[in-house]
Amino acid sequence: MAQKVRKAIIPAAGLGTRFLPATKAMPKEMIPIVDKPTIQFIIEEALASGIEDILIVTGKAKRSIEDHFDANVELEQNLKEKGKNELLKLVEETTGINLHFIRQSYPLGLGHAVLQAKAFVGNEPFIVMLGDDLMEDDVPLTKQLINDYEKTHASTIAVMQVPKEDTDKYGIIKPSGKVDKNLYNVEAFVEKPKVEDAPSDLAIIGRYLLTPEIFEILASQKPGAGNEIQLTDAIESLNKIQRVFAHEFKGKRFDVGDKFGYMKTSIEYSLAHPDLKDEMRDYLIELGKQLEGKKPAVKKEK
Ligand code: G1P
């Protein structure tokens, strides 16, 4: 029987420079999509996948993440007195989760952030979830990886097809044949190759199921791309000593780590939000007409 996958790590120590000045004093993980901080979507995916304990690797100026998932007795009391039961329910949903926090004192890279979780994870398979990627599918992507693990007992990395010209923004795999409908054997994992060197267009997206042997490798991992300790490089070494599979995700990925991606996500989520969807739809249709009329005036960004 496969060991149960119970633990997840969310690296959240990044400086969020792409969203400055918003992220000067506020963690980027707390930027909302409509009315919910992005990190809450990630935590909901973990819980919906059966994860029981979550470690958030934080850095400076990240305390509001802890506060968000703590009880707010005053607020709860106030909502209770005013009979605002729907809002009370929303607030209460963010408490009672088994969250743990550790600091990454130096921003030495994703691999280094994951290494901070060694003691928390111990000798079990575990999940890594990156906060910049929101995933939508009938079965949560984290659960899809766990389902694979139950059959293979091996590390499995989520990947997705991306446009060839974007391959230098991701970890890219060199697949070597399929073992199942969505599961590939992998010959190599390469972090941010030049577009012309990319071995495929299958990019690592922000969900990983890893066996604990990764920690030994990470402990001596030398800096790679961007002079950072890269998780992808450690996975490449892991794949030399035990099989690591890639799971192709066929659902929808929202990249909220990028300004345009963030805006698109906000619009699409508001079109699905019960309080906003009709108004937003009418507004966008109207705006579309206006923009059509003014087409020559719309400047193309360089
Ligand atoms: C990280 C990983 C990269 C992966 C990407 C997915 O890169 O290092 O392999 O493809 O996340 O979003 P980052 O976006 O942090 O530069």
Side-chain angles (χ1 to χ4, degrees), residues 110 130 133 157-164 166-175 186 188-195 197-208 225 228 230-236 245-247 253 255:
L110 179 59
L130 304 189
D133 294 301
I157 314 303
V159 297
M160 191 171 194
Q161 264 191 326
V162 296
K164 184 83 184 160
D166 288 342
T167 44
D168 58 351
K169 299 191 183 89
Y170 296 95
I172 302 291
I173 65 159
K174 181 173 187 189
V186 183
F189 294 85
V190 192
E191 181 67 9
K192 306 209 172 88
K194 285 192 194 139
V195 171
D197 298 337
S200 77
D201 59 359
L202 288 171
I204 297 175
I205 49 175
R207 303 290 182 273
Y208 309 72
E228 291 186 349
Q230 296 291 355
L231 183 58
T232 305
D233 295 345
I235 293 169
E236 166 68 4
F245 295 103
H247 172 110
R253 167 176 177 254
D255 179 3

Side-chain angles (χ1 to χ4, degrees), residues 1-275:
M1 258 234 322
Q3 243 180 314
K4 195 168 179 318
V5 183
R6 305 182 301 130
K7 295 176 180 173
I9 304 170
I10 305 177
L15 297 175
T17 43
R18 271 186 270 187
F19 284 91
L20 279 170
T23 47
K24 193 179 158 211
M26 176 177 71
K28 73 169 175 181
E29 294 78 11
M30 288 302 292
I31 296 179
I33 304 294
V34 187
D35 48 15
K36 204 186 272 186
T38 54
I39 194 165
Q40 194 175 332
F41 289 98
I42 306 288
I43 288 175
E44 285 175 357
E45 182 189 322
L47 298 176
S49 304
I51 293 296
E52 296 163 9
D53 278 281
I54 301 168
L55 177 74
I56 303 183
V57 184
T58 64
K60 282 193 180 57
K62 300 280 183 171
R63 196 155 298 153
S64 59
I65 299 178
E66 285 182 56
D67 290 341
H68 180 72
F69 293 101
D70 194 3
N72 183 334
V73 180
E74 234 170 74
L75 175 65
E76 285 165 31
Q77 193 56 38
N78 184 292
L79 294 173
K80 230 176 256 169
E81 278 164 18
K82 292 186 176 141
K84 297 192 170 171
N85 295 328
E86 287 296 307
L87 291 178
L88 182 63
K89 212 171 128 233
L90 288 180
V91 168
E92 283 174 346
E93 270 172 12
T94 57
T95 63
I97 305 163
N98 286 334
L99 288 183
H100 311 261
F101 294 87
I102 194 165
R103 284 223 180 182
Q104 181 190 18
S105 306
Y106 300 98
L108 300 180
L110 179 59
H112 181 257
V114 171
L115 182 58
Q116 310 310 305
K118 186 173 189 279
F120 167 79
V121 168
N123 199 25
E124 299 180 26
F126 65 101
I127 295 284
V128 176
M129 308 176 83
L130 304 189
D132 284 346
D133 294 301
L134 304 189
M135 310 295 187
E136 259 182 29
D137 207 349
D138 297 339
V139 176
L141 177 53
T142 294
K143 180 69 181 139
Q144 294 178 28
L145 297 181
I146 294 173
N147 291 345
D148 289 338
Y149 178 80
E150 282 168 359
K151 288 183 219 138
T152 63
H153 303 190
S155 296
T156 307
I157 314 303
V159 297
M160 191 171 194
Q161 264 191 326
V162 296
K164 184 83 184 160
E165 65 271 22
D166 288 342
T167 44
D168 58 351
K169 299 191 183 89
Y170 296 95
I172 302 291
I173 65 159
K174 181 173 187 189
S176 64
K178 276 192 171 176
V179 280
D180 205 348
K181 198 164 58 120
N182 292 331
L183 212 58
Y184 289 90
N185 272 314
V186 183
E187 203 178 306
F189 294 85
V190 192
E191 181 67 9
K192 306 209 172 88
K194 285 192 194 139
V195 171
E196 59 272 26
D197 298 337
S200 77
D201 59 359
L202 288 171
I204 297 175
I205 49 175
R207 303 290 182 273
Y208 309 72
L209 191 155
L210 294 166
T211 52
E213 286 76 18
I214 195 79
F215 290 115
E216 249 170 76
I217 299 170
L218 280 172
S220 58
Q221 186 64 53
K222 300 263 172 323
N227 204 26
E228 291 186 349
I229 297 173
Q230 296 291 355
L231 183 58
T232 305
D233 295 345
I235 293 169
E236 166 68 4
S237 302
L238 184 66
N239 194 31
K240 300 247 156 66
I241 55 169
Q242 50 178 239
R243 285 221 287 184
V244 180
F245 295 103
H247 172 110
E248 187 176 358
F249 180 52
K250 297 286 178 107
K252 193 158 181 181
R253 167 176 177 254
F254 294 91
D255 179 3
V256 296
D258 158 89
K259 262 184 240 185
F260 186 47
Y262 169 74
M263 290 312 300
K264 286 195 282 188
T265 311
S266 296
I267 291 170
E268 291 199 37
Y269 274 55
S270 61
L271 285 169
H273 193 288
D275 298 350

